[in-house]
Amino acid sequence: MSIDRQQPLVSIDTVPFIGRDGGLCVVTAERANEPFAGVQALPGVLLLPSERLAEAALRALTAKTGVGEGQVEYIGTAGVYDNPDRDPRGPTISIVHTAVLQPDARLDETRAKVTPVEQVSGLPFDHDTIIRRTAGTVLDALWVDQPLTKALLGKHFTTAQAARLIRNLAAAAGRSEPDSSNLGRMLARNPALSKSSEAVAAGRGRPAAGWSWT
């Protein structure tokens, strides 16, 4: 179905990240309506009159994935997409938000799907591009945006977990694998972090250093 209109609609789309099985994943949801009914896509809604952007992003998450408001750790803007041809129904401007869900967040399994961030592909609209660019934006914001970084890594984490997060984001953004050999030294210089007194065992290799937010 096409809509004949001149004034673009405003869509609030979210890229919901969640930590599962030791890696970073993205939550998508099955679309209920055309276009692309029955297809997995990023959770999104049209902005309502007098609705704030973050409110709409939260509404998209709760309505499309079934997650509870209290299980959303972080929401922040991540970019604007204004290609007039991005939506077959007509011009629609998408204001994209990054969201971070708690690792144990309960999702509506009949609609929501969790996929490793570097493996997501074949989504409708321009959602593949949105995920790729958002992953790059989040990668560049690590350690600079402390609330975002803390939401992704949790209150306590290891150097190995931080390195894996960076690799996941780089792969999703289509970037080369970053050199993490100096990551431990960088973390040690971060005044917002405190090194744990005991290392954390990680497989057969040398125990990984543990870190906590101060």
Side-chain angles (χ1 to χ4, degrees):
M1 179 181 69
S2 62
I3 300 177
D4 184 15
R5 51 182 164 83
Q6 297 295 323
Q7 185 70 29
L9 296 176
V10 177
S11 172
I12 307 300
D13 294 308
T14 62
V15 182
F17 292 112
I18 189 170
R20 289 285 171 88
D21 299 324
L24 186 66
C25 300
V26 168
V27 179
T28 56
E30 183 178 304
R31 286 183 55 81
N33 302 312
E34 294 292 351
F36 309 113
V39 175
Q40 289 287 319
L42 290 175
V45 294
L46 293 177
L47 186 66
L48 299 177
S50 303
E51 188 176 36
R52 304 296 294 270
L53 299 182
E55 293 172 346
L58 186 59
R59 178 166 62 89
L61 290 170
T62 57
K64 300 300 178 66
T65 72
V67 68
E69 291 186 13
Q71 295 180 307
V72 181
E73 289 286 337
Y74 174 94
I75 291 181
T77 55
V80 177
Y81 296 77
D82 61 354
N83 186 338
D85 299 325
R86 62 177 303 277
D87 191 323
R89 294 168 294 185
T92 303
I93 297 174
S94 173
I95 303 177
V96 175
H97 285 65
T98 302
V100 181
L101 310 183
Q102 294 178 355
D104 59 351
R106 297 183 62 180
L107 305 170
D108 183 349
E109 297 182 358
T110 65
R111 293 180 295 169
K113 181 180 179 181
V114 178
T115 307
V117 62
E118 67 274 18
Q119 297 179 17
V120 181
S121 64
L123 299 184
F125 306 106
D126 51 357
H127 289 184
D128 285 352
T129 298
I130 288 175
I131 291 175
R132 183 176 68 253
R133 293 181 180 176
T134 301
T137 298
V138 172
L139 180 60
D140 294 337
L142 286 181
W143 318 116
V144 178
D145 187 333
Q146 183 174 319
L148 170 61
T149 310
K150 186 176 181 180
L152 288 167
L153 287 170
K155 296 179 181 179
H156 312 284
F157 63 93
T158 67
T159 305
Q161 289 171 332
R164 182 169 183 176
L165 172 65
I166 293 171
R167 289 196 301 269
N168 289 160
L169 288 169
R175 301 184 186 180
S176 58
E177 183 169 325
D179 180 10
S180 59
S181 58
N182 294 318
L183 180 59
R185 296 189 184 92
M186 186 273 288
L187 296 177
R189 293 194 299 268
N190 190 327
L193 295 173
S194 174
K195 190 173 183 179
S196 302
S197 58
E198 296 183 1
V200 180
R204 298 181 180 179
R206 186 174 64 179
W211 304 90
S212 299
W213 295 93
T214 58

